[in-house]
Amino acid sequence: MLKKRVIAVLVVSNNIVVQSKGFNKYLPVGSPEISAEAFNNWGIDELFLIDINASKEKRLINLDLVKKVASKCLVPLTVSGGIKNIQEIGQLFKVGADKVCVNNSIKNNQNILFEGKKKFGRQCMVASIDSLNIDNNFKVFDYFSGKVTKKCVFDTAIKYEEAGAGEIFINDVSRDGSYKGYDIKLANLLCKKVSIPIISCGGAGKPEHIVNILKKSNVSGAAAANYFHFYEHSIAVTKAYVNKFIQIRQDTALLYSKMPIDNNGRIGRLSDYELEEYLYEKMKVEVI
Amino acid sequence: MKLVIVDYGVGNILSIENAVKRLGVSSVEVSREKKVLSEANGLILPGVGAFSTCTDKLKKNGLSEILTNLVIFKKKPILGICVGMQLMANSSKEGGEFKGLGWIPGKVLRINAKKNLPVPHVGWNEIRVTKPHEVFKKIVIGSHFYFDHSYHYSCNTKFVTATCKYGETLNVAINYKNIFGVQFHPEKSDLAGLRLIRGYLNWIKAC
C-alpha cells in the first residue's frame, strides 16, 4: 500500500532556515544542512527546500546550498526558489534536487510546466499554489506583490495539471505559522478537482493536525515547516503518534511506537517495569 | 571494486553517488567513456525524465551499443534505476511509441489509474519480493521504497523479482542474468535503499 507522506519544509532566507508567520514575519532557525541531516535521521519522508527571496531578487536559489543539503539527504528533495526556465531546472537536478517546485514563474504562463514535463517527465514537476480563504472562497495569493488575486485556487490547479504538473503543493497563507491545523475543506475540494497528488501545507501545530488531514482527506502528503524545528526527534515522535491512527512509513532506527505520546506530541513516561526491561535489552548496531 | 554510474546527461546522478559513497565505496566514477565503463566491475544506469529524452541521449552519446555490448556480451552486472530500468524494455508508450534497449523483453505502459488513485505514483510504497535474490538479501520484510513514476514495466513474470500494489500490481524489480532493474529510487529510499544498494554491491562481487 502506498503510504501518505510526512514532509518537512525548509524555508530559507539568506541561506538560513527561518520560521515564517503569515508570510510576513520571519525568525532565524539555523543551518539548512544541519536541519536536513537531523530530519533525515529522524525519519522524514521527503524534504522541501524553499528560498523565499529568490524570485523577488530575480535570481535562482543558491546552487551551492542545494548541493550541501542534497549531500545530507537520503530521501527525495524538492527545490523551489526563483526557477524561471528549464535550463535552471537542469542545473538544480545536477546539484542533487530530485524534483522542482514552481510558483511565481507559472502564475501567468505555464510554459515551464509543459517544457519541464516534456524534458524531465511530469513526476518531477511540482506546482505550488498559495491560497487565501476569504469567507470560504479560495483565492490565489500572490506572495510577490503581497496581495490576493481574483483567481480561483481550483481553476488554477486544473490549469497547472493540464500544463504538466505532477503534484500540487497547496500552501494555506491564512494558516501559515498559525498552529491552527490544516484546512481540510480546501484539501477535499482540491482533491476532487485534480487527479495528481496533493500536498497540504500551512497550519500544522501538533501531531493531531497531521492525523486529521491525512485521515479526513485524500491528500498524499502533509507538509510542515515551523513545527518540526523546535524539539529533538520531532519527526520520529510525530510519525509514531500519526502511525497509531493511519499507517505511515516507519523505517527509521528511532522507534517511538512503544512510547505513550499525547496529542500535543509530548512523550509520556514508561512504567517502571518497562524501563527495567529496557535496562537489560542489548541493542544490536546495524552495519549496512 | 570499481563502480561506474553511467552519465548520459539526464538523471540525478549526484544522489546516487552520495548514497554509494555513504556505503564506503571509494572507487565510484561517473562516466560515459567506453574505456572507463568497460573497466568497471559493475554499472548503475540512472534515469530521470521522459523515456524518449533518455533514449535520445543514450544514442547521441553512442552509449546504446557500448552498453549493450558490455551487458549482453561481456555480462557486466548492471542496476537500472527508474527510467534506467524502463530503458531495458523493448518499447515504451510514454509520449508516443519509442524503442528501448530490449535487454529484458517487456513493454513500458502507463499506470492504469483505478479507484481515483492519483497518477503519477508518488511516495513510499511497500514492496513484495516475489523471487529471492542476492540484491534483496539485506532488505527487511515490509520495507518501503520511494517511487515517482507514471509508467511501469510490463513483462513476463519469470523476470519479475518484486512487485508492489497501486490499484493494480506493478512490477517494481526485474532481473535476468547479470541485469537488474528497480522502478523505485534506492538512492532516495533512506536506509532500505542503502540496504538494497549494499545487496547490489555484494552481488557484483559474487558475479
Side-chain angles (χ1 to χ4, degrees):
Chain A
M1 188 183 78
L2 185 75
K3 302 295 187 299
K4 295 197 170 187
R5 290 169 274 164
V6 176
I7 298 166
V9 184
L10 302 177
V11 179
V12 168
S13 169
N14 299 321
N15 296 335
I16 298 173
V17 178
V18 293
Q19 177 183 9
S20 142
K21 200 167 182 186
F23 271 47
N24 54 29
K25 285 185 203 146
Y26 303 102
L27 279 168
V29 172
S31 145
E33 254 177 287
I34 294 173
S35 296
E37 189 173 13
F39 289 177
N40 258 268
N41 292 338
W42 299 346
I44 196 70
D45 293 328
E46 187 168 338
L47 271 181
F48 268 66
L49 178 68
I50 301 178
D51 186 333
I52 47 169
N53 296 332
S55 284
K56 287 184 183 165
E57 291 168 7
K58 295 199 169 69
R59 58 168 175 84
L60 186 64
I61 182 171
N62 184 345
L63 291 175
D64 203 42
L65 173 77
V66 177
K67 199 171 180 177
K68 278 185 191 156
V69 170
S71 72
K72 304 285 182 206
C73 206
L74 266 180
V75 295
L77 175 68
T78 306
V79 177
S80 174
I83 300 162
K84 290 181 298 297
N85 51 52
I86 61 163
Q87 284 76 24
E88 290 180 338
I89 297 177
Q91 282 179 329
L92 287 169
F93 288 151
K94 271 214 179 96
V95 292
D98 298 293
K99 299 189 265 188
V100 291
C101 178
V102 280
N103 183 323
N104 191 52
S105 59
I106 50 169
K107 65 180 180 189
N108 298 321
N109 176 347
Q110 291 81 40
N111 205 17
I112 187 168
L113 285 175
F114 178 74
E115 299 224 331
K117 174 196 163 189
K118 224 169 75 187
K119 183 149 189 213
F120 304 107
R122 184 187 278 271
Q123 80 291 334
C124 56
M125 302 299 298
V126 183
S128 148
I129 303 172
D130 298 321
S131 156
L132 197 66
N133 182 348
I134 304 165
D135 303 325
N136 278 328
N137 281 311
F138 297 97
K139 297 289 177 202
V140 177
F141 176 82
D142 182 18
Y143 79 95
F144 205 78
S145 61
K147 285 184 188 126
V148 62
T149 64
K150 283 184 182 147
K151 285 181 214 159
C152 164
V153 165
F154 308 114
D155 296 342
T156 308
I158 292 167
K159 219 195 289 172
Y160 289 175
E161 182 188 6
E162 278 168 5
E167 279 176 277
I168 301 274
F169 182 86
I170 182 85
N171 197 359
D172 191 340
V173 181
S174 16
R175 288 167 187 250
D176 179 51
S178 72
Y179 291 165
K180 281 195 297 198
Y182 296 91
D183 193 332
I184 292 162
K185 194 176 167 196
L186 167 67
N188 270 327
L189 288 170
L190 191 58
C191 286
K192 278 191 197 130
K193 299 281 182 185
V194 294
S195 63
I196 50 178
I198 310 278
I199 298 165
S200 262
C201 186
K206 50 184 180 179
E208 213 182 355
H209 294 150
I210 296 178
V211 174
N212 284 340
I213 186 82
L214 295 184
K215 271 206 101 132
K216 292 181 185 162
S217 77
N218 277 330
V219 296
S220 304
N226 305 340
Y227 162 63
F228 286 135
H229 286 300
F230 300 106
Y231 68 100
E232 207 67 21
H233 290 184
S234 55
I235 286 149
V237 175
T238 303
K239 285 182 72 178
Y241 178 87
V242 174
N243 196 50
K244 291 179 185 175
F245 302 91
I246 177 166
Q247 240 198 330
I248 53 172
R249 184 182 75 104
Q250 289 277 68
D251 288 348
T252 125
L254 289 170
L255 285 181
Y256 279 92
S257 52
K258 286 181 191 160
M259 302 290 273
I261 304 168
D262 71 11
N263 56 9
N264 287 312
R266 286 182 184 274
I267 304 165
R269 187 181 181 279
L270 284 171
S271 70
D272 289 345
Y273 173 75
E274 279 168 303
L275 284 172
E276 208 147 293
E277 290 276 291
Y278 276 120
L279 203 59
Y280 300 107
E281 195 175 331
K282 268 199 175 162
M283 301 290 276
K284 237 170 85 183
V285 179
E286 186 197 7
V287 181
I288 300 176
Chain B
M1 184 175 59
K2 197 171 156 195
L3 191 71
V4 176
I5 302 167
V6 184
D7 171 27
Y8 57 105
V10 292
N12 182 358
I13 285 171
L14 199 74
S15 55
I16 299 176
E17 209 183 333
N18 280 337
V20 175
K21 280 187 178 154
R22 235 173 236 243
L23 293 172
V25 179
S26 49
S27 166
V28 47
E29 233 180 289
V30 177
S31 178
R32 60 180 74 169
E33 304 291 326
K34 191 176 175 183
K35 191 169 167 277
V36 180
L37 292 172
S38 46
E39 280 168 359
N41 298 92
L43 303 170
I44 292 184
L45 184 62
V48 166
F51 187 92
S52 55
T53 315
C54 291
T55 46
D56 281 353
K57 292 227 170 170
L58 274 181
K59 266 186 221 144
K60 227 182 245 170
N61 292 305
L63 279 166
S64 300
E65 294 86 48
I66 297 174
L67 287 175
T68 301
N69 183 33
L70 288 175
V71 171
I72 302 297
F73 301 106
K74 303 252 166 76
K75 304 272 179 255
K76 207 169 277 291
I78 189 162
L79 174 70
I81 296 174
C82 196
V83 183
M85 153 183 162
Q86 297 184 354
L87 290 172
M88 298 168 175
N90 299 97
S91 66
S92 168
K93 286 226 184 271
E94 183 171 358
E97 175 100 36
F98 297 96
K99 249 184 98 180
L101 294 164
W103 293 344
I104 298 181
K107 273 183 190 157
V108 178
L109 307 172
R110 195 174 155 81
I111 297 171
N112 198 356
K114 272 182 229 154
K115 299 179 211 153
N116 301 324
L117 285 172
V119 174
H121 171 216
V122 190
W124 297 83
N125 207 333
E126 224 172 294
I127 68 160
R128 202 171 76 88
V129 175
T130 52
K131 218 186 271 167
H133 191 279
E134 180 80 29
V135 172
F136 292 130
K137 229 173 185 174
K138 286 195 168 268
I139 304 292
V140 187
I141 291 175
S143 283
H144 294 83
F145 288 88
Y146 183 76
F147 290 85
D148 195 0
H149 62 125
S150 311
Y151 289 79
H152 70 104
Y153 207 111
S154 162
C155 65
N156 191 315
T157 48
K158 69 179 179 190
F159 302 120
V160 180
T161 53
T163 59
C164 85
K165 270 239 143 66
Y166 192 65
E168 54 186 325
T169 303
L170 304 176
N171 301 332
V172 297
I174 51 168
N175 167 239
Y176 177 66
K177 291 182 178 169
N178 56 319
I179 308 167
F180 206 94
V182 289
Q183 179 61 62
F184 47 82
H185 288 270
E187 79 282 14
K188 284 289 152 188
S189 294
D190 212 345
L191 300 180
L194 289 185
R195 291 188 192 106
L196 185 123
I197 298 173
R198 173 62 77 202
Y200 175 60
L201 296 172
N202 289 342
W203 183 50
I204 295 175
K205 278 185 207 154
C207 265

